[in-house]
Amino acid sequence: PASAQAGSPVAVEHADVDRYMGVWYEIARLPNRLERDCATDVTSVYERRTDTAIRVTYVCRRSDGEEERTQGVARVRDTVSHAKLEMRFAPLALAWWPFVWDDWWIIELAPEYTHMVVGDPSRQTLWILARTRDMDEATYRRLVAAAAAQGYDTASLVRTPQSAH
């Protein structure tokens, strides 16, 4: 809807930080700088460090078969909802520069924390994540529709192949 696209997307009302810790499998994403070389098997692992700081480790397999690993930090920006975070993958020495932090909002979250949709308020990045390597098509379509309703360009979503390890 035009009204959803006029302002920022809407983050979920509340997210329990401890419940979204652990491994998430990437089901789909909008193409982005961080994952430009990632071909398959993209996961992210969230580990609580403090009340507001989270260690984030992205792992993927490049098209040449090599594993790529990137470590970052997330910090909770909205301490009421816990659904708006900032991510940094730049070195710690650059952390004071505001442009090295990217907004990361949870815009859809299953009550059981089995899947979520994350995007940034400028609608340039979007991820569909799940606790398992695959997602049933009906759930996927529903999440894509929810992201589209918030103004994201879901036509550009790339599905992420996950190996059956």
Side-chain angles (χ1 to χ4, degrees):
S3 60
Q5 293 178 37
S8 293
V10 178
V12 297
E13 282 185 35
H14 180 74
D16 180 333
V17 176
D18 290 324
R19 288 190 71 192
Y20 67 72
M21 293 301 106
V23 178
W24 290 90
Y25 294 89
E26 183 182 276
I27 303 301
R29 70 174 179 264
L30 285 179
N32 64 75
R33 204 174 55 245
L34 175 67
E35 297 177 84
R36 71 178 160 269
D37 297 327
C38 293
T40 65
D41 302 316
V42 181
T43 59
S44 49
V45 179
Y46 299 88
E47 300 170 87
R48 187 79 172 253
R49 294 179 64 203
T50 68
D51 279 352
T52 58
I54 300 161
R55 175 182 293 123
V56 182
T57 306
Y58 274 88
V59 180
C60 74
R61 195 154 304 285
R62 298 187 313 235
S63 55
D64 65 7
E66 290 297 311
E67 184 179 277
E68 186 171 300
R69 180 176 296 265
T70 307
Q71 194 138 63
V73 173
R75 60 186 182 194
V76 178
R77 280 190 53 206
D78 178 347
T79 55
V80 175
S81 74
H82 300 116
K84 293 180 180 179
L85 294 92
E86 292 177 314
M87 288 278 200
R88 174 182 55 78
F89 289 97
L92 182 60
L94 302 178
W96 61 275
W97 280 346
F99 69 83
V100 301
W101 290 93
D102 293 317
D103 287 316
W104 191 89
W105 292 9
I106 301 171
I107 61 169
E108 289 288 321
L109 179 61
E112 321 76 42
Y113 288 70
T114 53
H115 54 265
M116 68 176 163
V117 180
V118 176
D120 74 302
S122 69
R123 298 179 177 87
Q124 299 302 303
T125 58
L126 183 75
W127 292 270
I128 296 176
L129 305 171
R131 293 292 192 177
T132 57
R133 286 182 167 77
D134 46 65
M135 175 180 284
D136 68 86
E137 199 58 29
T139 301
Y140 177 76
R141 280 198 214 112
R142 185 176 54 73
L143 296 176
V144 169
Q150 292 230 37
Y152 288 89
D153 176 15
T154 56
S156 299
L157 275 173
V158 176
R159 293 288 284 261
T160 306
Q162 295 283 353
S163 302
H165 293 251

